[in-house]
Amino acid sequence: VVEKNKIIDGGGVKRGDVILGLASSGVHSNGYSLVRRICFEKAHLKPTDAIDELDGAMIGEALLEPTRIYVRPIVKLLAQYKVKKIVHAMAHITGGGLVGNVPRVLPKNCNAVIQKSSWPAPSIFNYLQNAGPVEEEEMYRVFNMGIGYVLIVARDFADSITKKLTRYGEQVYRIGTITAGKGKVVLK
């Protein structure tokens, strides 16, 4: 339950806002139809097979890495800002990846411009893309690509929010900005 005036629904998103991405712990729980097809049908792997591209880890371990849960650090962060509304939107990056989830919190007159080079994609995604092979566009449409949660925040508070979330144990990346647009994600 949240007070009506405390709801974060994307209505405050505006040009110049900063997009912060919180690192995922891997594939999370999305895209497993494609993962199964690549790993077990095409590559004929067994869950116990070690993969060089994964630093010798077994593919089964990499795919079963528990999904990171962001509730505690986000609730703790929001408790720090009871008056100022500096977190304008949030999106959990699930099925549909960044391009499918971020638009849900964008106003129709804004785009989210995301710099793909602003965070390191975990090696499991590189392996899947190469073993597929899978086009980069589809990778960003199916998988989280290493970003499990996104916050759109006021530019002047992006650094302080990053520091707080880092203190709470999150790996935070400044992955983009909000520009004028039509409610879409633009990957660069």
Side-chain angles (χ1 to χ4, degrees):
V1 175
V2 65
E3 295 296 327
K4 192 172 185 174
N5 66 341
K6 300 279 187 193
I7 293 174
I8 299 172
D9 62 2
V13 172
K14 62 184 180 295
R15 285 181 286 165
D17 281 352
V18 171
I19 306 166
L20 299 176
L22 305 185
S24 71
S25 54
V27 178
H28 284 185
S29 57
N30 300 101
Y32 274 90
S33 294
L34 182 56
V35 167
R36 270 193 308 279
R37 194 166 45 246
I38 293 168
C39 296
F40 305 117
E41 294 172 20
K42 183 175 186 232
H44 303 289
L45 296 173
K46 295 183 299 259
T48 55
D49 286 343
I51 305 297
D52 290 340
E53 295 93 325
L54 303 178
D55 296 326
M58 290 187 292
I59 190 69
E61 288 176 349
L63 296 175
L64 293 177
E65 179 70 33
T67 298
R68 190 161 182 75
I69 305 298
Y70 303 95
V71 171
R72 287 191 175 129
I74 295 301
V75 167
K76 201 170 179 179
L77 173 75
L78 295 176
Q80 300 288 311
Y81 299 102
K82 293 185 183 212
V83 176
K84 295 178 184 174
K85 292 186 176 183
I86 61 166
V87 176
H88 297 158
M90 298 181 289
H92 191 227
I93 308 307
T94 58
L98 291 163
V99 296
N101 289 284
V102 174
R104 295 177 186 170
V105 298
L106 292 176
K108 299 282 185 235
N109 65 344
C110 290
N111 280 350
V113 178
I114 296 177
Q115 301 295 327
K116 296 181 288 188
S117 63
S118 60
W119 75 92
S123 55
I124 186 65
F125 297 114
N126 296 326
Y127 172 77
L128 292 169
Q129 185 173 11
N130 293 330
V134 181
E135 294 290 329
E136 184 176 61
E137 183 180 317
E138 185 174 358
M139 291 295 294
Y140 280 90
R141 194 169 24 85
V142 173
F143 299 114
N144 67 56
M145 296 303 290
I147 299 295
Y149 201 83
V150 166
L151 294 98
I152 300 174
V153 303
R155 177 181 33 213
D156 293 341
F157 290 88
D159 290 338
S160 65
I161 289 172
T162 298
K163 287 176 187 169
K164 284 177 177 34
L165 287 169
T166 300
R167 266 199 321 269
Y168 303 154
E170 296 300 322
Q171 179 65 54
V172 184
Y173 301 99
R174 192 175 193 138
I175 65 170
T177 56
I178 301 299
T179 65
K182 298 187 180 208
K184 298 182 180 185
V185 170
V186 178
L187 297 172
K188 290 191 170 190

